[in-house]
Amino acid sequence: MIEVSELAASALVQSLQMSGVEPSKGFRLTKQEDIFELEIDSPAEDDRVIRHEGAIALMVDQGTEEEVGDVLIDVEDRPNGPQLMMRSKPLEE
């Protein structure tokens, strides 16, 4: 299952708000060839919607979530500034 850190969820929502995206929309995680991307979309009936402070941060359809597996979307500091990244969650013992 995909999880989103508090910091990443906040960054996603802030980005949407600063871009003037209507509150009924959010980022959708999609896969184009071998690359995962975020695009702005409205939730579909079967989507899993991840919210932050009541706003849509991320949505994902069941097929994409199964393909991605158990990951955490987080923010990582990089030399050119903070970036969203996706990493495998550690296996629970």
Side-chain angles (χ1 to χ4, degrees), residues 24-26 28 41-49 51 56 59-62:
S24 62
K25 295 185 177 189
R28 175 179 298 282
D41 198 4
S42 298
E45 188 174 318
D46 294 337
D47 287 339
R48 186 164 77 88
V49 178
R51 296 181 180 274
I56 299 170
M59 65 196 96
V60 62
D61 65 63
Q62 185 176 357

Side-chain angles (χ1 to χ4, degrees), residues 63-79:
T64 302
E65 186 159 36
E66 286 175 7
E67 187 171 355
V68 171
D70 290 333
V71 298
L72 173 68
I73 296 174
D74 202 358
V75 175
E76 184 174 277
D77 285 325
R78 298 275 175 102

